Amino acid sequence: MELRWDPILREWIIVSGERGKRPLLPEGFCPFCPGSEEVPKSGWTVLSIPNKFPSLRPDPPKPDIKCDRLYRCRPARGVCEVVIYTPRHDATLADLSVENIRAVVDLWTERFEELSKRDYVKYVFIFENKGRVIGVTLDHPHGQIYAFPFIPPLIKRELESSKQYWKRNGRCLFCTIIEKEKRDSTRVICENDDFICFLPFFAHWPYGVHIYPKRHLSALTDLTDGEKDSFASILKWILRKFDNLFNTSFPYMMVLHQRPTDNKPYPYYHFHVEFYPPYREKNKLKYFASVETGAGTVTFDYTPEAKAKELRDSPET
Ligand code: ZN
Ligand code: ZN
Ligand code: FE
């Protein structure tokens, strides 16, 4: 395992040859259910455990591939963890009580804080892949955390544009976007005292909503107790809307975008959550095909305004 540098796109690739050989789990066996190997039988609501097949490790092997100044490589140092949302095997984040989701938020915050302290961790990435169509093989509700030894490229891009906006306009790019979306409320899905959820003007995925704290802050650790409750409740709200939209357990990728953890100041960054659900209509998948993947340009075959209305009209109960 190692990191390999792509000198054309200028980004790191995580290569872990042995991960491809992960054993198939026996039918009916769940490694995340209470009482299995690493998971206590009782006494917990949410739990984080090391990923058994990590692509980044605190003590990675030395790269055993020939590298040079163009073909650079470095050890795949970092941390991969799994966050188990509940002991209940047959639930999803959307099914959990707001209190249970709040416990997930608290654990995310705690892991972010702990992993941030390690000197080799430059970015803590919290996410969930949900649904078989995304390639998830374990049904037990869980998310993951990757603690990267570098700032990933999409985050870098967000940092660069928000820094530039801050310099030129003296204010936060994301705060400005929130204000614009609020003023023209056609793409707003739901909001509470502290958070707002909308499909942005520039949405990439048909149901690719963003959630923002209304207060300008850059990480989970900046949230007050009350804001964490509001965060849990807006999460539950949008997840219910997703499930009710097509009467299915809605698949998605969900990512938390926070400031890096390299101890540099990021006053211009604003914490948010992004969703990338793979559906464009009931039973119709949105593929990131040639134009998206090979040219890096998104095609959106609907209007964000119409898709936002669908979600607004979908019940949250
Ligand atoms: Zn299970
Ligand atoms: Zn802001
Ligand atoms: Fe983002």
Side-chain angles (χ1 to χ4, degrees), residues 155-172:
I155 306 298
K156 252 197 174 141
R157 244 170 116 177
E158 290 195 359
L159 289 168
E160 275 159 19
S161 50
S162 51
K163 186 179 185 179
Q164 202 177 83
Y165 191 89
W166 181 272
K167 270 193 184 160
R168 285 190 186 155
N169 303 281
R171 60 195 314 261
C172 166

Side-chain angles (χ1 to χ4, degrees), residues 241-308:
K241 282 175 171 293
F242 277 160
D243 283 358
N244 288 330
L245 187 62
F246 303 140
N247 255 312
T248 52
S249 185
F250 202 67
Y252 57 75
M253 296 169 259
M254 173 182 74
V255 309
L256 273 60
H257 279 172
Q258 307 187 75
R259 62 170 165 75
T261 56
D262 58 354
N263 290 321
K264 291 188 184 124
Y266 295 95
Y268 44 83
Y269 198 63
H270 195 126
F271 164 58
H272 57 280
V273 181
E274 297 184 19
F275 280 89
Y276 321 122
Y279 279 114
R280 52 191 181 84
E281 283 175 43
K282 187 169 182 141
N283 297 323
K284 283 188 191 162
L285 288 170
K286 161 75 187 172
Y287 292 103
F288 261 45
S290 299
V291 179
E292 284 81 6
T293 307
T297 293
V298 171
T299 60
F300 197 101
D301 298 341
Y302 309 84
T303 64
E305 294 72 30
K307 286 298 182 192

Side-chain angles (χ1 to χ4, degrees), residues 41-250:
K41 257 205 151 61
S42 60
W44 59 277
T45 316
V46 296
L47 195 68
S48 70
I49 56 171
N51 190 316
K52 244 190 142 174
F53 300 96
S55 38
L56 300 164
R57 298 215 304 236
D59 51 352
K62 253 191 158 158
D64 68 346
I65 185 87
K66 228 184 103 217
C67 299
D68 57 34
R69 278 183 60 193
L70 186 65
Y71 278 13
R72 287 159 62 195
C73 61
R74 57 189 267 210
R77 193 160 190 217
V79 185
C80 292
E81 291 184 350
V82 172
V83 176
I84 307 174
Y85 295 155
T86 167
R88 291 165 54 198
H89 182 85
D90 296 307
T92 65
L93 197 54
D95 299 329
L96 303 181
S97 65
V98 173
E99 293 71 36
N100 193 152
I101 299 176
R102 165 68 202 256
V104 174
V105 172
D106 286 337
L107 184 58
W108 282 342
T109 311
E110 193 188 303
R111 296 316 300 147
F112 175 79
E113 217 170 358
E114 203 278 315
L115 293 164
S116 306
K117 288 187 190 134
R118 308 193 190 186
D119 60 343
Y120 58 88
V121 172
K122 305 294 183 223
Y123 194 86
V124 178
F125 187 62
I126 299 173
F127 65 99
E128 178 184 353
N129 293 327
K130 182 195 166 210
R132 302 246 162 184
V133 291
I134 304 282
V136 180
T137 47
L138 286 166
D139 289 327
H140 199 115
H142 70 284
Q144 299 183 61
I145 303 178
Y146 273 31
F148 286 103
F150 54 84
I151 301 173
L154 279 181
I155 306 298
K156 252 197 174 141
R157 244 170 116 177
E158 290 195 359
L159 289 168
E160 275 159 19
S161 50
S162 51
K163 186 179 185 179
Q164 202 177 83
Y165 191 89
W166 181 272
K167 270 193 184 160
R168 285 190 186 155
N169 303 281
R171 60 195 314 261
C172 166
L173 170 63
F174 304 97
C175 285
T176 312
I177 289 171
I178 295 166
E179 253 172 51
K180 284 179 80 70
E181 293 293 347
K182 265 190 89 119
R183 204 172 310 132
D184 163 9
S185 56
T186 50
R187 289 173 300 268
V188 175
I189 319 291
C190 48
E191 65 177 301
N192 57 29
D193 284 349
D194 305 310
F195 281 81
I196 183 162
C197 173
F198 53 82
L199 198 63
F201 172 77
F202 48 85
H204 288 210
W205 295 75
Y207 299 105
V209 302
H210 288 196
I211 300 175
Y212 285 83
K214 292 180 179 174
R215 195 162 64 83
H216 181 73
L217 53 93
S218 64
L220 288 167
T221 44
D222 301 333
L223 293 173
T224 64
D225 252 8
E227 284 169 334
K228 281 181 187 156
D229 284 335
S230 298
F231 184 31
S233 101
I234 203 162
L235 274 173
K236 166 111 185 158
W237 220 358
I238 190 64
L239 293 170
R240 296 304 312 157
K241 282 175 171 293
F242 277 160
D243 283 358
N244 288 330
L245 187 62
F246 303 140
N247 255 312
T248 52
S249 185
F250 202 67

